[in-house]
């Protein structure tokens, strides 16, 4: 047994003993090998082995574990599937990781009220799976939806390709049960969209695990749209594709999704899954419409007309569910597939006002050229959410140049009036860049709000807000999940 | 009742006014919800945000607009209409000149909430002044953004506590080229949930679905051909459903808004429950609390009603909703009445008190509004 001293002076042994009094042995991990599998999340460059990992089996046990942490004065980090891309579930040295993977029951599919009651460890895609027999689905669809959990979605306020029309996690959560830093259980939100008093539910959503641990969540389910129409259109330039998106917006059409890929991304995706992309095309758009059939058909005709008007060189209508799945599979595989054309890469997540897409892409290309690195682009064009992939070689010693370029791209997004993150979160990864987007006062007020929830700062410390210790660290290279390489899941 | 009034025209002036006021502060806009929630402290300095009005930045191509918190929403809608855009929000009191800041602080919403949510879903950035004069911003000018805490959510429904908003950034939607309303008889409130489901089980995707005056109003928005086809389909699918001529539709929605605002002399209460409970809860309130002017959204579970301005009756409504696991908030409160604005405090009220203590330890901003969930007196000296 290790006798490392935790932050507050308790020994890891004493901490583990308290957990063992609460949970069966299989739910308390203290051995080095076991702990190591929790040392990072999807942002594999940041690693930290925790003191203890616990796997409570229900909300009461989560609360009891948090009370143990409170008693010992040690920090804790909640963890779902560990697919996050910003190091939001990065453990804290000498701290506890509270895994929610045993809380994975779908508690209720309430068809009449169109909602699902879930434990946090339920996979995002399984919600729609359980709702499907009733003609319902859960709208937010992060690209990793097969392997990410609703608890993680709550923490990150996850979006997805279809959030352009349907919004983010925050727009679909009605009610949550939350364990606070002192181990008390409270309910945030309510049974309808109407709440009495301030929207603490909305404040908690997207707070990246720094305000507490969600142990139960009620989400809205939507009726599956009657019609879905998907088109893949090639364009002679990024600008022409961008102008087409602008024209769609001007035509008062809100598509369900508008995705753009550049030639480098398509080359990689095509090599990986053969989705039928034209690899010679400088840019392509995937545009999807859904809704009542009349509306969908009318707007789809308009969209294909706008694509032609803006010089589309090929318009491929995915006419069957199989063809649609193929188009999307390529899109989802594009990211991990970049590994086929580059030994290493960093993925970035930033947002610019949609009208500045062409400008930011030109600047990114210039910045890449200046340092001799290629940047592939796959992004949600409808809402200006970029996912530049900085390609580099670890072996060639390009790590620092690539990492610097990637960070500068996110900061460029802020300069252009956008945001450091559209969906991956700030986590440990971008905490040091937060001062580019917010003033010291802005960040101090956020910290004061946090102090109301967690006065001792033990709830996922070191995330979101810049700290000197954190900002000195240097991340390692990114490694994709095997399912990403297969085009089954994606992170953008 | 209040000691003095100031009317800043910039965020800096607002900051100075808030910081330098001697005691409690109450922010006002158009005054359309001055009698909502609990009364502010009688000695509060009134700070009007009406001078913080107008568009700060409108980016039509990005579908966003930044405005002063004191901007009347109806004026903003007129300006946006020239670009074929709107804030997809239609609370009843907008027509009386309510400001963006006031509508946000009171968590108001209208029939369009079915499709677009309330302002909490439409505001993407906020600038707020705290009691100590700190000016903080959260969110930004892009719709998709997860950087930092979303402080706006804390201010939504806070009725002017925690801080005073100076600027708000909103996401916009296209104005639909065509709108139709289909009406469907539903004389009995008890049958409301089933009648609502009959509509939402069809594929027509209404943007609003409201019960008012014995019938369900279904609003369809979209392209000319689209709404025509959807209205025809709905009329064919549901017994008694018929499209209303444009003038009748306008009158029906106007009458709905009148009911939401309620007549003078009665207490207006907004409630929320699980949709399937709506019929039973509303029926019992009509029977036991003399509820009138009922409007209800069967797909979201939100309803508005009026009851006699009697403290015991209002308290009974709060208790009834709490027992049903729902929520209730007092809106309009007739002058001179002393009615309980809030129901039993939820467990999460401990968080409200802790956050208030951190942001505004003397409870200066909006003191009294959230009584008894937040203290009605300042911290002891």
């Amino acid at each position: 047994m290790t006798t490392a001293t935790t932050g507050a002076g308790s020994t890891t042994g004493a901490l583990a003993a308290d957990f063992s009094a609460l949970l069966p042995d299989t739910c308390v991990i203290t051995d080095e090998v076991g702990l190591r599998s929790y040392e990072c999340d999807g942002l594999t460059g940041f690693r930290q082995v925790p003191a203890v990992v616990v796997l409570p089996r229900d909300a009461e046990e989560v609360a009891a574990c948090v009370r143990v942490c409170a008693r010992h004065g040690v920090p804790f980090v909640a963890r779902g599937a560990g697919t996050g891309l910003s190091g939001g579930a990065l453990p804290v040295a000498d701290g506890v990781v509270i895994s929610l993977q045993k809380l994975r029951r779908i508690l209720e599919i309430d068809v009449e009220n169109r909602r699902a009651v879930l434990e946090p460890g339920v996979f995002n895609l399984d919600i729609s799976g359980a709702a499907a027999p009733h003609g319902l689905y859960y709208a937010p669809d992060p690209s990793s939806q097969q392997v990410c959990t609703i608890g993680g979605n709550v923490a990150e306020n996850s979006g997805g390709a279809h959030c352009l029309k349907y919004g983010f996690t925050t727009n679909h959560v009605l009610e949550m049960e939350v364990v606070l830093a002192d181990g008390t259980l409270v309910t945030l939100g309510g049974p309808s969209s109407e709440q009495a008093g301030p929207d603490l539910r909305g404040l908690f959503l997207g707070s990246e695990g720094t305000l507490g641990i969600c142990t139960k969540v009620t989400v809205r389910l939507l009726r599956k749209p009657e019609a879905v129409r998907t088109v893949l259109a090639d364009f002679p330039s990024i600008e022409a594709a961008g102008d087409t998106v602008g024209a769609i917006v001007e035509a008062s059409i809100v598509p369900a999704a508008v995705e753009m890929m550049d030639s480098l991304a398509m080359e990689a995706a095509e090599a990986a899954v053969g989705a039928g992309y034209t690899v010679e095309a400088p840019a392509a758009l995937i545009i999807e419409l859904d809704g009542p059939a009349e509306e969908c058909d009318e707007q789809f005709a308009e969209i294909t007309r706008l694509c032609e008007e803006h010089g589309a060189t090929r318009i491929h209508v995915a006419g069957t569910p199989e063809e649609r799945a193929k188009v999307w599979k390529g899109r989802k595989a594009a990211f991990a597939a970049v590994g086929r054309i580059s030994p290493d890469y960093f993925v970035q997540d930033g947002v610019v006002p949609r009208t500045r897409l062409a400008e930011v892409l030109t600047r990114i290309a210039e910045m890449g050229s200046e340092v001799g690195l290629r940047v592939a682009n796959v992004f949600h064009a409808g809402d200006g959410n970029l996912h530049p992939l900085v390609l580099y070689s670890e072996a060639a010693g390009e790590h620092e140049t690539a990492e610097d370029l990637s960070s500068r791209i996110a900061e460029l997004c802020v300069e252009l009036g956008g945001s450091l993150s559209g969906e991956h979160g700030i986590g440990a990864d971008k905490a040091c860049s937060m001062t580019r987007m917010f003033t010291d006062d802005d960040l101090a007020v956020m910290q004061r709000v946090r102090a109301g929830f967690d006065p001792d700062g033990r709830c996922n410390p070191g995330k979101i807000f810049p700290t000197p210790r954190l900002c000195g660290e240097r991340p390692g290279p990114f490694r994709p999940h095997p399912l990403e390489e297969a085009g089954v899941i994606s992170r953008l | 009742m209040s000691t003095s009034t100031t009317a800043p025209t910039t965020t800096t002036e607002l900051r100075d006014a808030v910081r330098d006021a001697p005691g409690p502060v109450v922010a006002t806009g158009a005054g359309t919800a001055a009698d909502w929630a609990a009364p502010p402290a009688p000695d509060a300095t009134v700070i009007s945000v009406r001078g913080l009005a107008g568009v700060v930045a409108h980016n039509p191509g990005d579908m966003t607009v930044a405005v002063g918190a004191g901007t009347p929403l109806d004026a903003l809608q007129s300006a946006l209409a020239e670009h074929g855009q709107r804030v997809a929000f239609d609370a009843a009191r907008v027509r009386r000149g309510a400001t963006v800041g006031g509508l946000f602080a009171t968590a108001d919403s209208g029939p369009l909430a079915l499709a677009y949510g309330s302002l909490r879903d439409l505001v993407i950035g906020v600038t707020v002044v705290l009691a100590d004069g700190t000016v903080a911003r959260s969110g930004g000018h892009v719709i998709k953004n997860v950087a930092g805490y979303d402080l706006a959510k804390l201010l939504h429904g806070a009725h002017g506590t925690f801080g005073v908003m100076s600027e708000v950034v909103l996401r916009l939607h296209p104005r639909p080229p065509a709108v139709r309303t289909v009406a469907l008889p539903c004389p009995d409130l008890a049958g409301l949930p089933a009648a609502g489901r009959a509509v939402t089980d069809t594929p027509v995707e209404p943007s609003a679905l409201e019960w008012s005056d014995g019938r369900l109003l279904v609003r369809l928005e979209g392209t000319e051909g689209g709404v025509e086809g959807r209205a025809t389909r709905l009329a064919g699918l549901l017994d008694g459903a018929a499209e209303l001529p444009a003038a009748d539709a306008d009158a029906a929605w106007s009458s709905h808004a009148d009911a939401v605002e309620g007549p003078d002399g009665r207490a207006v209460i907004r409630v929320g429950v699980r949709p399937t409970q709506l019929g039973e809860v509303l029926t019992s309130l009509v029977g036991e609390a003399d509820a009138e002017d009922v409007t209800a959204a069967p797909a979201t579970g939100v309803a508005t009603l009026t009851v006699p301005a009697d403290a015991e009756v209002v308290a009974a409504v709060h208790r009834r909703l709490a027992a049903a696991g729902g929520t209730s908030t007092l809106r309009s409160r007739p002058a001179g009445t002393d009615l309980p604005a809030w129901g039993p405090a939820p467990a999460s009220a401990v968080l409200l008190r802790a956050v208030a203590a951190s942001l505004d330890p003397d409870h200066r901003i909006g003191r009294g509004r959230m009584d008894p969930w937040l203290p009605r007196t300042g911290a002891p000296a």
Side-chain angles (χ1 to χ4, degrees):
Chain A
M1 182 172 286
T2 165
T3 55
T5 303
T6 64
S10 289
T11 63
T12 299
L15 189 59
D18 277 4
F19 287 128
S20 293
L22 289 173
L23 303 171
D25 287 351
T26 52
C27 296
V28 181
I29 299 173
T30 53
D31 68 288
E32 180 69 16
V33 174
L35 292 174
R36 200 158 280 285
S37 58
Y38 291 86
E39 69 180 354
C40 67
D41 60 11
L43 185 75
T44 54
F46 286 77
R47 289 166 190 272
Q48 175 65 57
V49 178
V52 183
V53 175
V54 290
L55 297 98
R57 296 162 298 178
D58 58 32
E60 285 303 330
E61 288 188 353
V62 174
C65 289
V66 169
R67 284 194 291 272
V68 169
C69 294
R71 211 156 55 230
H72 287 268
V74 298
F76 58 90
V77 178
R79 178 185 171 106
T83 57
L85 289 166
S86 56
L90 177 72
V92 179
D94 301 325
V96 176
V97 167
I98 299 178
S99 166
L100 285 313
Q101 63 184 273
K102 289 193 184 292
L103 280 77
R104 56 180 172 201
R105 288 177 298 166
I106 293 175
L107 299 172
E108 187 184 5
I109 299 287
D110 181 349
V111 177
E112 290 192 336
N113 287 302
R114 290 199 176 167
R115 59 196 57 193
V117 185
L118 312 157
E119 289 190 327
V122 172
F123 291 125
N124 173 296
L125 192 60
D126 289 347
I127 308 168
S128 289
H134 311 287
L136 304 174
Y137 78 111
Y138 175 62
D141 60 339
S143 297
S144 57
Q145 67 179 157
Q146 276 195 329
V147 294
C148 67
T149 63
I150 187 67
N153 293 174
V154 164
E156 302 296 320
N157 187 19
S158 303
H162 293 80
C163 63
L164 177 63
K165 177 175 177 182
Y166 291 101
F168 316 94
T169 305
T170 188
N171 308 111
H172 296 269
V173 168
L174 289 167
E175 191 169 62
M176 295 181 296
E177 177 189 74
V178 166
V179 175
L180 301 176
D182 63 0
T184 56
L185 274 163
V186 298
T187 298
L188 307 180
S192 76
S193 51
E194 185 73 14
Q195 294 190 70
D199 183 15
L200 295 176
R201 163 198 57 168
L203 180 66
F204 189 94
L205 278 149
S207 60
E208 305 193 24
T210 61
L211 300 181
I213 301 179
C214 171
T215 48
K216 187 165 77 176
V217 57
T218 303
V219 301
R220 294 194 299 137
L221 300 174
L222 304 184
R223 185 189 189 283
K224 278 188 197 163
E226 179 181 34
V228 183
R229 304 277 183 269
T230 310
V231 66
L232 171 67
D234 296 341
F235 289 89
S237 67
I238 290 272
E239 288 74 17
D243 289 348
T244 306
V245 179
I248 291 169
V249 170
E250 270 174 43
S252 295
I253 297 172
V254 181
V258 180
E259 304 287 303
M260 200 191 295
M261 288 172 289
D262 69 5
S263 55
L264 206 49
M266 281 191 284
E267 180 193 332
E270 203 51 29
V273 298
Y277 299 160
T278 314
V279 292
E280 303 81 31
L285 292 176
I286 299 171
I287 307 167
E288 189 157 283
L289 281 173
D290 66 18
E294 304 93 337
E295 208 85 27
C296 232
D297 289 338
E298 203 172 327
Q299 295 193 332
F300 196 65
E302 177 69 2
I303 280 176
T304 45
R305 191 187 68 73
L306 290 170
C307 287
E308 282 164 8
E309 193 178 292
H310 287 83
T313 50
R314 184 181 75 129
I315 294 178
H316 167 63
V317 177
T320 64
E322 294 72 32
E323 281 190 69
R324 187 173 305 122
K326 193 171 156 189
V327 167
W328 279 107
K329 188 178 180 186
R331 164 66 184 78
K332 289 183 178 183
F335 173 72
V338 166
R340 291 172 180 262
I341 59 171
S342 176
D344 301 289
Y345 56 97
F346 283 113
V347 59
Q348 190 45 275
D349 166 45
V351 188
V352 294
R354 193 197 51 75
T355 48
R356 305 193 78 169
L357 269 181
E359 183 183 354
V360 75
L361 291 171
T362 303
R363 293 273 296 276
I364 289 171
E366 287 168 2
M367 286 158 67
S369 298
E370 281 165 20
V371 295
L373 293 175
R374 295 179 299 166
V375 182
N377 286 289
V378 188
F379 50 92
H380 308 299
D383 45 28
N385 187 189
L386 307 169
H387 290 302
L389 299 151
V390 177
L391 313 186
Y392 74 102
S393 165
E394 196 74 22
E398 294 170 340
H399 179 109
E400 276 184 36
T401 308
E403 189 196 355
D404 176 62
L405 174 60
S406 185
S407 293
R408 285 191 291 127
I409 288 173
E411 292 171 1
L412 171 65
C413 291
V414 176
E415 268 174 50
L416 294 177
S419 171
L420 281 175
S421 176
E423 52 192 10
H424 294 177
I426 300 301
D429 186 28
K430 291 184 182 172
C432 303
S433 296
M434 283 289 273
T435 51
R436 301 277 181 147
M437 184 162 168
F438 294 107
T439 65
D440 289 348
D441 279 349
D442 298 338
L443 294 171
V445 171
M446 291 179 197
Q447 295 264 36
R448 284 163 73 179
V449 169
R450 178 187 192 167
F453 281 72
D454 175 21
D456 303 322
R458 290 184 303 98
C459 200
N460 207 11
K463 314 297 156 61
I464 303 179
F465 303 104
T467 64
R469 189 193 66 78
L470 189 74
C471 296
E473 285 182 5
R474 173 177 167 280
F478 175 78
R479 298 186 193 96
H481 189 284
L483 282 175
E484 287 171 62
E485 293 178 301
V488 176
I489 60 165
S490 161
R491 57 190 64 210
L492 354 140
Chain B
M1 69 172 189
S2 300
T3 53
S4 60
T5 300
T6 57
T9 57
T10 64
T11 297
T12 306
E13 287 178 13
L14 174 64
R15 179 201 65 192
D16 293 348
V18 169
R19 186 190 56 200
D20 299 341
V25 160
V26 59
T28 65
T32 54
D35 57 356
W36 287 27
D43 57 341
T45 299
V46 176
I47 298 181
S48 169
V49 298
R50 287 303 292 274
L52 292 156
V55 172
V56 178
H58 176 211
N59 306 309
D62 296 322
M63 311 287 280
T64 62
V65 67
V67 299
T71 307
L73 183 60
D74 55 355
L76 176 61
Q77 298 283 32
S78 302
L80 295 171
E82 292 173 22
H83 300 272
Q85 298 182 341
R86 65 171 173 173
V87 179
F89 180 85
D90 58 352
R93 73 184 219 263
V94 171
R95 58 189 182 167
R96 289 195 289 121
T99 63
V100 171
L103 290 160
F104 189 83
T106 52
D108 205 351
S109 64
L112 281 177
L114 173 64
Y116 298 97
S118 63
L119 282 180
R120 82 173 281 284
D121 300 289
L122 299 171
V123 165
I124 57 173
V126 68
T127 305
V128 61
V129 176
L130 301 191
D132 62 8
T134 305
V135 177
R137 187 174 56 82
S138 85
H141 291 259
V142 285
I143 292 163
K144 198 169 185 182
N145 177 10
V146 296
Y149 290 169
D150 190 352
L151 297 179
K153 300 292 193 286
L154 180 66
L155 303 170
H156 186 259
H159 291 268
T161 51
F162 299 118
V164 182
M165 281 178 281
S166 68
E167 196 177 306
V168 176
V169 190
L170 294 144
R171 73 171 294 182
L172 304 174
H173 286 87
R175 284 181 81 82
V179 182
R180 301 287 172 92
T181 297
V182 172
L184 176 70
C186 177
D188 183 9
L189 273 172
L192 180 56
R197 282 199 300 279
V199 175
T200 54
D201 281 347
T202 73
V204 303
E205 297 189 14
S207 56
L209 176 61
E210 292 280 332
W211 187 91
S212 176
D213 213 10
R215 59 184 178 173
L216 261 181
L217 301 173
V218 188
R219 193 185 301 170
L220 302 170
E221 297 184 332
T223 62
E224 193 62 57
V227 294
E228 166 110 38
R230 287 150 68 195
T232 305
R233 275 209 276 170
L234 199 56
L237 284 168
L238 302 176
D239 281 348
E243 184 180 334
L244 296 181
D248 292 358
D250 288 348
W253 287 111
S254 177
S255 165
H256 175 278
D258 292 344
V260 167
E261 296 218 82
D264 289 344
R266 286 176 69 88
V268 181
I269 303 178
R270 173 67 68 99
V271 302
V273 289
R274 270 186 293 127
T276 46
Q277 294 174 292
L278 207 45
E280 171 204 336
V281 168
L282 292 175
T283 302
S284 77
L285 292 177
V286 168
E288 294 156 24
D290 189 22
E292 294 175 1
D293 309 299
V294 175
T295 57
T300 60
V302 178
T304 315
L305 47 91
T306 70
V307 295
D310 176 278
E312 187 41 46
V313 172
V314 173
V317 174
H318 287 314
R319 284 196 301 270
R320 176 73 182 88
L321 268 298
T327 55
S328 53
T329 308
L330 178 67
R331 291 186 151 191
S332 210
R333 175 172 28 82
T337 56
D338 181 14
L339 306 176
W342 305 97
S348 62
V350 66
L351 291 172
L352 294 181
R353 289 190 288 272
V355 171
S358 182
L359 295 181
D360 180 12
D362 294 328
H363 301 294
R364 291 179 55 226
I365 313 285
R367 184 189 293 173
R369 281 291 192 200
M370 299 281 310
D371 176 46
W373 293 9
L374 286 177
R376 67 151 66 240
T377 55

